[in-house]
Amino acid sequence: MFKFTVKKAVFGVMLAVLLLISSGLTGASGLFTKTKDVPPQEILKKHEELSAVELSSNRYTQPDKKQKEVTSQSIPAEYKKEAETPSIALYVDSKTMGIMVKNKKTGYAWSSYPAKETLKKEQLNEDWSMLVRSPVMVDYFNENAGLDRGSVASLDGQVVNKKAIKNGFQFTVNLKKLKTSFDVQVSIEGEELVVNVPEKSWSEKDHKLANLYVYPFMGSTRLDDLPGYMMIPDGSGALIRYQKPSVSYDEPFVGRIFGQDYSVNPLKMGDNRDINVTMPVFGAVHGEGQNGFLGIVEKGQYNSEIVAYPAGLNTNFNWISPRFIIRNAYFQPTSKNMGGYNTYQKTRIQTDLKIRYHFLQKDQASYTGMAKSYRSYLENEGILRKTKSAKKDVPAHVEFLGGEMEKGLFSRKYVEMTKFQDVDDITKTLKADGLANLDVLLRGWGNGGLTGSNPERFPVADQLGGENGLTDLAHVLKNRGIALSLQLDYTYGYDGANNFNEKTEASRKITNQVLIERIGSDPFEKEKIDLERYYISPHKAVSLAREDTKEIKNIPSAGAALENTGSILFSDFKKSQPTGRDKAASDYMKLADQLSNQLGDLAVYQPNAYLLKHASKIYNIVMDSSQYMYATDTIPFVQMVLHGYIDYFTSPLNFAADKNETILKMVESGAYPSFYFTKQPSHLLSKGPSKSIGASYYKDWMNDAKEIYERVKEPLGEVAGETIENRKVYQPGVVEVTYSNGAAILVNYQSKAVKAAGHSIPARDFFLLKRGSRQ
């Protein structure tokens, strides 16, 4: 049957060539010559050519070509109407359980199966012929614990017991070969299609089902027969445009919603963090400005993935779907020398599975319309709340590292980087330099520094000024109108903490081993490991936060900032108190709720969607996608959802690879500036776990901070508190973003001045169109 692996496509090869040439080398006949041998005008021309190539890459959003009108397929006679609302009508083929949804406003019909005429153009093998016309698709474990794929027909299945339910119908899928059955409910609500697999309907006598897809080919297209794209929630967001494949793809896009579960798939040394999927959404467009849908994984999202297959991978169809994880595969070690075997969970993950499709039409049929639709959904669910407040100066976020630990000859050594009095002095200077609305965060403020004894933070480090010094600082900053947050982390626990026992309070992997991560150049050589950190049980994290809240309340005016715990989600397979990812997310919501209720505003680093309700501001918001080869565009989907509801800040600009590029992205996406400062030079951290921190010495960055703030405060101030209503790409690297108050920002990433919307935009710069100023 079908076997599949995961392997990341690398965009970096092309980027490396660009950087090589732009750094002063040109190639000819396999040889390199220095640029001093090349006329200056030729170098400039080459740079402009390279810039144009890079701007046409998937690091940016590409302009939409004029698109042909998409005509709807007709609804075949075997499809009978089951339900309708004023907006949409639901049809079903009772023999195959295929569904079609007709948008009554436009007449466009969405289908769960490719049309018969389209299938005639394809030469699908028998397996895929059954898969594309099956209401469900499954991955199941074979005798070697590998994965095979099947459909209702290929697994000797049946679709039985069809009956009407409110605004729809229900049927039972009986997969005889797997001795498994469950119900599928299909209904419509307003402009939405809802597909649900209720937990209580499951019956299993075999335990081999791994993953479930329900109507995976909903809205699928063939090659470039239709103009449009799929939207994947990769990082800030990305598109896969419908096109004829020009290269061969090895694998689909697979994004685990809310990140990998490290208790099942531990992070290995040298691996990058997995794809950042913070929102349980996906989408498709059939002709931008014509027809589209946004899909929301409403239940089962804690154990599911978004899977997108571009044309050319297995078939010529473009299709996107949630993949619900029913049980996990894993490697069970049997010895210390890496011996073991592949196996899988015998117990099924028990939860309802639910997908909600919101259909979009006309000018809302785009990724912008998807973002606005999801924003409305979150607002209706009470997760996002629009607050009306007086306009303030644009905030600038500044992080200070207080202390850190490093290895000593016989014991760990405390490294003092920024005292509380230093924070007072530096913020006073920043205020005087014009950064009027500072948002300050303290890292490593507790006893033991940043990583020395987390999660134990109290008492406050005497080396930095002690509790009295921190209390005085909080009071002084409040009087200056400066918000102060204390960094908290309830994900990682380190050796030596008095309030954390790694043997009983660290999470356990599915293999029953303690969930631990080794940081250093070689995880197998002790002398090359900077530290070992354990993953704290979510249940323990709640009690730790409760105790910290009591202590922090003794420091008036200090708020909290939650790092890692808002973005990393994992199970705990401890036999005494097992915790699935859904329960872990619930624990973290409880944790965030008590912090925000007791301490006021709560900042969260890159929060997953389930913590948005508790986040008053967001740090280190993701600004890019993973740039997989099959993705054609990067989009600021996350920012378009959140702007006007939650303030969000970039990662520190002093760590940016290209400062000006980051500033342009910041202005385009409505993100506020962020900096990371230490009073002492960063080379003092070179012998410890924070050795990767560079360029943090405050004297090197004070002038830059002032200049950056002066540059961005007008455009970002003009649109503060407003929602993003439209986004248009005129040409590669030239973007216009329009806000709810009528203001717009034009951004030019090109290395030459351009004209757009009747205005000239300098090279690598932006232009503000204030409200009411458009000609």
Side-chain angles (χ1 to χ4, degrees):
M1 294 289 281
F2 303 90
K3 300 185 174 18
F4 33 96
T5 59
V6 177
K7 173 178 144 190
K8 186 172 180 178
V10 179
F11 171 75
V13 175
M14 185 179 79
L15 187 58
V17 174
L18 295 173
L19 291 174
L20 182 62
I21 298 174
S22 64
S23 63
L25 297 174
T26 57
S29 303
L31 301 174
F32 292 99
T33 58
K34 294 182 179 178
T35 54
K36 68 180 182 179
D37 300 324
V38 182
Q41 62 270 25
E42 290 298 318
I43 297 174
L44 180 61
K45 181 179 178 183
K46 184 63 68 177
H47 270 282
E48 290 180 351
E49 290 173 356
L50 289 170
S51 177
V53 169
E54 189 174 356
L55 291 170
S56 297
S57 74
N58 61 4
R59 287 186 64 200
Y60 303 88
T61 311
Q62 300 309 308
D64 285 306
K65 298 174 183 176
K66 188 175 181 180
Q67 299 188 344
K68 64 181 181 182
E69 185 175 351
V70 176
T71 56
S72 176
Q73 60 175 299
S74 58
I75 297 176
E78 61 267 27
Y79 282 77
K80 306 300 181 184
K81 186 186 293 185
E82 285 284 332
E84 67 179 318
T85 70
S87 300
I88 58 177
L90 172 64
Y91 297 79
V92 63
D93 177 349
S94 294
K95 183 178 180 180
T96 66
M97 287 301 140
I99 60 172
M100 297 187 75
V101 180
K102 183 176 181 180
N103 187 330
K104 294 164 71 173
K105 296 179 182 178
T106 63
Y108 195 77
W110 294 87
S111 179
S112 64
Y113 302 156
K116 290 180 180 178
E117 316 84 75
T118 305
L119 286 172
K120 289 178 181 177
K121 301 177 184 178
E122 292 299 301
Q123 293 182 338
L124 298 175
N125 61 32
E126 184 179 357
D127 290 320
W128 276 106
S129 294
M130 290 186 285
L131 284 168
V132 299
R133 293 185 65 79
S134 178
V136 301
M137 183 166 71
V138 300
D139 302 324
Y140 61 95
F141 295 106
N142 57 32
E143 61 278 5
N144 299 315
L147 287 177
D148 290 339
R149 180 169 288 173
S151 62
V152 171
S154 70
L155 294 171
D156 299 329
Q158 291 179 310
V159 175
V160 296
N161 302 331
K162 178 182 176 293
K163 65 179 182 180
I165 60 173
K166 183 179 179 181
N167 294 326
F169 62 94
Q170 172 182 300
F171 59 94
T172 300
V173 175
N174 184 8
L175 303 175
K176 292 184 178 180
K177 194 172 180 179
L178 298 181
K179 300 178 182 178
T180 298
S181 66
F182 50 84
D183 291 344
V184 176
Q185 298 171 343
V186 184
S187 60
I188 54 177
E189 301 173 9
E191 295 182 345
E192 300 169 340
L193 169 72
V194 180
V195 179
N196 184 44
V197 178
E199 159 59 27
K200 64 182 181 181
S201 70
W202 281 84
S203 174
E204 281 189 315
K205 293 183 180 178
D206 203 346
H207 304 284
K208 293 183 178 180
L209 190 61
N211 304 311
L212 173 66
Y213 313 69
V214 186
Y215 291 118
F217 282 82
M218 184 70 188
S220 64
T221 65
R222 177 183 174 274
L223 297 172
D224 59 351
D225 289 355
L226 297 181
Y229 47 75
M230 298 180 285
M231 189 282 291
I232 55 177
D234 175 6
S236 64
L239 306 179
I240 303 175
R241 294 184 187 269
Y242 305 142
Q243 56 189 2
K244 293 178 180 176
S246 56
V247 295
S248 177
Y249 303 124
D250 292 333
E251 66 210 16
F253 167 82
V254 179
R256 178 71 183 262
I257 296 174
F258 308 141
Q260 285 295 339
D261 186 344
Y262 298 131
S263 292
V264 177
N265 302 299
L267 186 70
K268 298 180 178 65
M269 181 62 65
D271 286 356
N272 292 319
R273 290 289 179 190
D274 51 277
I275 297 170
N276 193 327
V277 178
T278 61
M279 294 178 172
V281 295
F282 61 100
V285 161
H286 291 184
E288 187 162 59
Q290 298 180 58
N291 311 284
F293 71 71
L294 171 73
I296 302 170
V297 185
E298 196 168 75
K299 292 184 179 179
Q301 70 267 43
Y302 300 109
N303 293 285
S304 60
E305 299 162 318
I306 301 300
V307 180
Y309 278 71
L313 183 58
N314 297 135
T315 74
N316 282 324
F317 291 108
N318 305 285
W319 60 276
I320 186 168
S321 171
R323 177 162 73 190
F324 295 105
I325 298 171
I326 306 303
R327 47 177 53 85
N328 289 290
Y330 63 98
F331 180 79
Q332 178 65 57
T334 55
S335 66
K336 292 183 179 180
N337 61 0
M338 306 302 290
Y341 57 92
N342 292 319
T343 187
Y344 52 88
Q345 286 176 293
K346 299 303 181 284
T347 304
R348 177 173 51 83
I349 297 171
Q350 298 181 12
T351 180
D352 288 346
L353 311 175
K354 190 175 184 181
I355 313 168
R356 183 176 296 272
Y357 295 87
H358 188 183
F359 296 100
L360 309 168
Q361 59 275 329
K362 299 182 179 178
D363 61 343
Q364 296 304 305
S366 65
Y367 63 84
T368 303
M370 294 177 199
K372 292 162 71 173
S373 177
Y374 188 50
R375 184 171 72 205
S376 296
Y377 171 84
L378 293 175
E379 190 170 23
N380 291 336
E381 292 293 309
I383 295 171
L384 289 183
R385 296 179 299 278
K386 196 81 171 69
T387 56
K388 291 190 177 293
S389 58
K391 290 278 185 181
K392 295 182 179 179
D393 293 311
V394 165
H397 175 61
V398 185
E399 302 196 359
F400 291 96
L401 175 60
E404 180 58 298
M405 301 298 286
E406 68 174 28
K407 287 184 178 179
L409 186 59
F410 300 106
S411 62
R412 290 182 296 186
K413 175 185 174 184
Y414 186 88
V415 182
E416 169 206 309
M417 295 301 293
T418 315
K419 293 182 177 180
F420 300 141
Q421 183 59 52
D422 299 330
V423 176
D424 182 353
D425 296 338
I426 294 171
T427 54
K428 188 185 299 180
T429 302
L430 289 170
K431 270 275 196 180
D433 284 345
L435 281 75
N437 185 8
L438 287 175
D439 178 86
V440 171
L441 172 84
L442 293 183
R443 307 169 67 84
W445 51 272
N447 188 37
L450 184 62
T451 58
S453 59
N454 195 68
E456 182 184 8
R457 276 167 283 271
F458 291 94
V460 177
D462 287 334
Q463 298 92 330
L464 306 180
E467 186 167 334
N468 288 337
L470 181 54
T471 301
D472 290 344
L473 176 63
H475 180 71
V476 167
L477 294 183
K478 181 181 180 182
N479 288 340
R480 291 194 199 134
I482 298 175
L484 172 65
S485 298
L486 303 179
Q487 181 262 6
L488 302 173
D489 176 7
Y490 300 105
T491 294
Y492 298 126
Y494 301 93
D495 286 329
N498 291 324
N499 61 349
F500 171 68
N501 184 328
E502 67 272 13
K503 293 181 180 179
T504 59
E505 295 171 336
S507 291
R508 291 265 170 176
K509 294 191 283 188
I510 196 170
T511 58
N512 199 38
Q513 298 165 304
V514 173
L515 183 54
I516 185 173
E517 186 175 4
R518 294 179 171 88
I519 308 299
S521 58
D522 190 333
F524 303 108
E525 292 191 36
K526 193 168 184 179
E527 63 274 13
K528 293 183 179 180
I529 297 173
D530 292 317
L531 59 85
E532 293 181 330
R533 59 189 187 187
Y534 301 87
Y535 285 71
I536 301 169
S537 164
H539 176 74
K540 175 64 175 178
V542 176
S543 64
L544 288 169
R546 186 182 304 115
E547 294 304 312
D548 281 350
T549 301
K550 295 175 184 176
E551 296 277 3
I552 296 173
K553 285 180 73 174
N554 294 326
I555 306 170
S557 309
L562 197 58
E563 187 172 19
N564 297 316
T565 308
S567 58
I568 299 176
L569 185 64
F570 52 92
S571 306
D572 181 3
F573 289 92
K574 195 183 289 97
K575 292 181 180 179
S576 61
Q577 192 173 18
T579 302
R581 276 172 46 114
D582 52 351
K583 176 60 168 60
S586 178
D587 284 340
Y588 292 147
M589 285 186 266
K590 185 188 301 181
L591 181 155
D593 189 56
Q594 65 189 24
L595 287 173
S596 58
N597 283 339
Q598 295 294 315
L599 302 178
D601 290 346
L602 176 67
V604 187
Y605 285 77
Q606 293 188 6
N608 288 327
Y610 53 82
L611 277 194
L612 289 176
K613 182 177 180 179
H614 306 282
S616 58
K617 49 195 169 187
I618 294 172
Y619 296 152
N620 287 17
I621 193 165
V622 60
M623 302 282 281
D624 295 292
S625 70
S626 302
Q627 296 165 47
Y628 275 66
M629 189 174 291
Y630 39 66
T632 54
D633 309 62
T634 294
I635 58 172
F637 181 88
V638 170
Q639 289 86 343
M640 290 190 291
V641 171
L642 298 178
H643 200 281
Y645 288 83
I646 306 176
D647 287 348
Y648 47 83
F649 298 82
T650 64
S651 297
L653 286 159
N654 37 328
F655 300 156
D658 185 333
K659 181 180 69 176
N660 194 52
E661 172 94 356
T662 305
I663 291 170
L664 294 179
K665 281 202 169 189
M666 179 176 75
V667 171
E668 182 204 336
S669 64
Y672 295 128
S674 178
F675 305 94
Y676 192 116
F677 288 163
T678 55
K679 174 66 184 299
Q680 302 300 326
S682 54
H683 69 79
L684 297 179
L685 298 167
S686 62
K687 296 180 181 179
S690 293
K691 61 187 176 185
S692 61
I693 295 173
S696 66
Y697 184 43
Y698 82 105
K699 285 188 177 180
D700 293 339
W701 274 89
M702 295 293 276
N703 288 335
D704 289 75
K706 178 182 178 180
E707 291 173 5
I708 291 170
Y709 187 79
E710 284 295 320
R711 186 179 176 193
V712 304
K713 70 177 184 180
E714 184 182 17
L716 293 180
E718 182 70 20
V719 299
E722 303 295 333
T723 56
I724 295 175
E725 296 301 308
N726 197 23
R727 184 172 183 268
K728 181 177 181 180
V729 181
Y730 288 97
Q731 54 181 286
V734 182
V735 186
E736 178 182 1
V737 182
T738 306
Y739 289 81
S740 52
N741 63 351
I745 298 175
L746 293 155
V747 180
N748 176 21
Y749 291 92
Q750 294 188 18
S751 55
K752 60 183 179 181
V754 298
K755 271 201 163 187
H759 298 273
S760 180
I761 316 165
R764 305 272 287 176
D765 208 345
F766 50 81
F767 183 89
L768 171 64
L769 276 168
K770 294 186 178 181
R771 66 195 90 180
S773 65
R774 190 181 297 274
Q775 298 297 318

